[in-house]
Amino acid sequence: MATAATAIGGAGTAAAQDDYEVIEAAGQTITIDTGETWENKLIDMTTGQDIVVTAHSSDWTIRNIGFKGKNTAGTGTATFGISDTSGGTCTVENVYLGDGSSTGNGNPNGHGQTAFWVAPDHNGHIDFENVNIQNFADNAIYGSAPGTKGGGTIHIDSSFAANCYVSHFRLATEGSKVTNSSVYVDGSHGYVGRGIWGWAPGTIEVEDCQIEMNGQNTAIDAGANGNPTEIAVTNTDYDDGAGIAEHAGSNVQLGDSVGTDPEAFIPQGVPTSPEEAASGSQK
């Protein structure tokens, strides 16, 4: 699929540095409080050190953030640890994590670096929009944990994830969905995780998506840990070479306009470089 392959490596548009703040990764943790907007940052990972961003509060916004260089943190960690713990609505938009994590992050059990981890206590709503995540050794957006406790919802819209391990978009709670987004796995580099993975209790909605796996792993996977769920799919193409998996009585409902000729693409507005994300110049 030529369009996605070329777009993945797109250079983007560089902007003047004074459009954003440069933060050098040095093992620090940045905490976002209730009602806070954290925006226009370029995180320099070429230092070889880690940085963690946490937002376990309410009504916060993360916007225009670009990560330059591979994340080299140890296994079992996340670049972003987030949740809304007071029933509010939070936003993650225009974030570039396309440089991925180092190959040293991976291990056979899949416990590597996660891009976004949504904590079990999440009981509000998080909107993801215009997010670009590639080559992470663990899940791109790991959003299934609230299904075991808080019950909060997640909406992933107009986003792109490629060549990550375990899964790319992973959700659990009813009202959570993936729309207008693409998953791309080419099998020649990076990791080959599931496309979309639904956990209990569901139902998870998938609409207007392209899931191009090139025969790798599973395109749409429903159910885990012996617990069933439902995934409702409409107006979406998925790779039938990778196929659909239904575990523990799960059900993937294929609705209107579902096909098997996916052409993954980077949605309009998704940043293709760290500088483009930090400056917000693609808007």
Side-chain angles (χ1 to χ4, degrees):
M1 184 276 304
T3 54
T6 54
I8 287 170
T13 302
Q17 186 167 314
D18 58 5
D19 289 341
Y20 50 81
E21 176 188 3
V22 177
I23 300 175
E24 293 187 353
Q28 70 269 49
T29 297
I30 294 172
T31 301
I32 300 169
D33 295 323
T34 295
E36 182 179 353
T37 295
W38 191 63
E39 60 186 344
N40 297 106
K41 314 292 184 186
L42 191 147
I43 311 301
D44 184 2
M45 305 294 293
T46 65
T47 61
Q49 305 223 18
D50 189 22
I51 190 168
V52 174
V53 182
T54 64
H56 298 296
S57 49
S58 188
D59 296 320
W60 45 259
T61 296
I62 295 169
R63 177 191 297 128
N64 298 345
I65 309 297
F67 286 76
K68 184 175 183 178
K70 293 183 181 296
N71 194 306
T72 60
T75 62
T77 59
T79 301
F80 287 89
I82 60 176
S83 62
D84 189 301
T85 55
S86 297
T89 297
C90 299
T91 300
V92 177
E93 61 181 354
N94 195 37
V95 176
Y96 178 85
L97 284 160
D99 291 352
S101 62
S102 67
T103 55
N105 275 276
N107 68 36
N109 295 320
H111 299 297
Q113 177 76 11
T114 297
F116 287 93
W117 153 257
V118 184
D121 289 337
H122 172 57
N123 59 23
H125 180 78
I126 301 174
D127 285 313
F128 287 87
E129 184 175 6
N130 295 342
V131 174
N132 187 338
I133 306 169
Q134 299 182 42
N135 299 310
F136 267 75
D138 207 321
N139 300 265
I141 297 179
Y142 190 147
S144 61
T148 66
K149 189 175 181 181
T153 54
I154 296 166
H155 181 191
I156 301 167
D157 184 58
S158 298
S159 292
F160 180 79
N163 297 314
C164 297
Y165 192 55
V166 184
S167 71
H168 291 79
F169 300 138
R170 175 172 171 171
L171 303 174
T173 54
E174 183 174 1
S176 293
K177 53 191 175 181
V178 184
T179 59
N180 308 306
S181 296
S182 287
V183 172
Y184 181 66
V185 172
D186 63 13
S188 66
H189 68 283
Y191 306 95
V192 291
R194 302 164 181 84
I196 295 175
W197 196 6
W199 283 53
T203 298
I204 308 304
E205 299 176 35
V206 178
E207 182 178 358
D208 296 316
C209 290
Q210 298 292 307
I211 308 169
E212 185 175 356
M213 305 291 292
N214 286 294
Q216 303 289 325
N217 210 308
T218 305
I220 303 172
D221 201 334
N225 291 348
N227 296 309
T229 191
E230 293 188 353
I231 302 177
V233 185
T234 56
N235 199 32
T236 290
D237 284 275
Y238 71 93
D239 175 13
D240 60 352
I244 290 171
E246 299 170 318
H247 307 285
S250 295
N251 182 23
V252 177
Q253 306 167 8
L254 301 181
D256 295 337
S257 301
V258 175
T260 56
D261 188 21
E263 293 187 7
F265 64 98
I266 296 181
Q268 184 176 0
V270 172
T272 57
S273 75
E275 295 82 4
E276 191 177 75
S279 65
S281 62
Q282 83 292 343
K283 291 292 188 179

